[in-house]
Amino acid sequence: MALSADSIAKDLGTTLVGRQVVYKPVVTSTMDEARCLAVDGAAEGAVVFADAQTAGRGRFRRRWVTPPGESIAVSIIFRPSGEQLPSLSQMGALAAAQAIEAVTGLSVALKWPNDLMVNGRKVGGVLVESDEGGLAILGIGINVALDPESYAETAAATSLALELGREVSRLGLLRRLLQELDRLYSELRSGGDLRTAWADRLRTLGQTIRVQTPTGVEEGLATAVDSHGALILRRRDGSQVKLLAGEVTMQLSTSEG
Ligand code: BTN
């Protein structure tokens, strides 16, 4: 079935996520579209899906490639409490991992903080943009049919179709993703903790890694994550550092040898 606002929303069975669905063939970024929608008064749970993005962005404002018809590029409007906000990106990663596994049978791991990894390569990512007025936009990008070798930005990445050797229905995957988000957000709102499920998927723990942080490079053994998802590194000199944001650029070794 073709992707449309109706085919995405029909009989979705969710309580909050997908109450409103906007489908656009091309946007600059679904993050911008969702922000405009929120400013115009859209309710929590409103979804913006685009077939293509001309200025899709990732963490640290890197370009996120979204060619027509090959990806999932979706943003969802949330109005979380201050306590729920730090869990939103973990919720996005968890929902995406669960949806991909349910629809494709592939196993999904997470690279800290929230890269979606299949067979050691990045297949998707999560971005949260929030403001002081309590608005948070959760953006999720998944390479579904994209050929990673066609773009410099994705040369080291992968796609679901590439890993599976067959096509994957974007509509089926998107609907499942919205259902998983709805379930996890309701869990979060009723005081549930997603941290254990998220941390169980983190393949970064137990590895000696190099991390590019906004203030410099850190190296050490990733020993744990704290209650906000920050990564605890034990440096070679025995000191500890807590990283709130960063990009794991290299795995130097694993503690398993
Ligand atoms: C990352 O891994 O750096 C995060 C990537 C997030 C990409 C998604 S695609 C939908 C939404 N719109 C954007 O411009 N970015 C996010």
Side-chain angles (χ1 to χ4, degrees), residues 15-180:
T15 50
L16 190 143
V17 174
R19 287 196 286 196
Q20 181 185 355
V21 175
V22 173
Y23 169 83
K24 300 249 173 158
V26 190
V27 296
T28 52
S29 161
T30 56
M31 303 304 280
D32 300 332
E33 292 287 324
R35 181 166 300 275
C36 290
L37 206 64
V39 168
D40 285 350
E44 195 176 35
V47 169
V48 178
F49 178 87
D51 204 44
Q53 299 185 113
T54 55
R57 57 180 177 267
R59 292 191 313 122
F60 307 115
R61 300 199 77 83
R62 276 187 298 236
R63 192 165 99 92
W64 186 263
V65 178
T66 316
E70 297 186 350
S71 304
I72 282 187
V74 66
S75 293
I76 304 103
I77 295 171
F78 288 102
R79 297 187 191 279
S81 67
E83 203 184 323
Q84 293 155 359
L85 179 63
S87 301
L88 221 57
S89 56
Q90 298 170 6
M91 177 184 87
L94 206 48
Q98 288 169 352
I100 293 170
E101 288 186 349
V103 169
T104 66
L106 292 166
S107 289
V108 182
L110 301 177
K111 185 173 95 167
W112 185 86
N114 281 306
D115 285 353
L116 302 162
M117 309 294 289
V118 171
N119 296 327
R121 286 174 184 252
K122 181 163 174 171
V123 79
V126 175
L127 180 69
V128 173
E129 293 178 352
S130 57
D131 66 22
E132 284 173 5
L135 171 66
I137 314 276
L138 169 64
I140 299 176
I142 302 173
N143 302 335
V144 179
L146 176 141
D147 174 15
E149 287 184 0
S150 303
Y151 310 91
E153 294 88 344
T154 55
T158 192
S159 70
L160 298 178
L162 194 66
E163 294 302 324
L164 273 179
R166 64 169 168 83
E167 283 183 16
V168 176
S169 156
R170 286 187 306 150
L171 179 60
L173 179 58
L174 174 64
R175 282 170 55 87
R176 183 63 187 247
L177 172 61
L178 300 179
Q179 288 160 347
E180 296 292 341

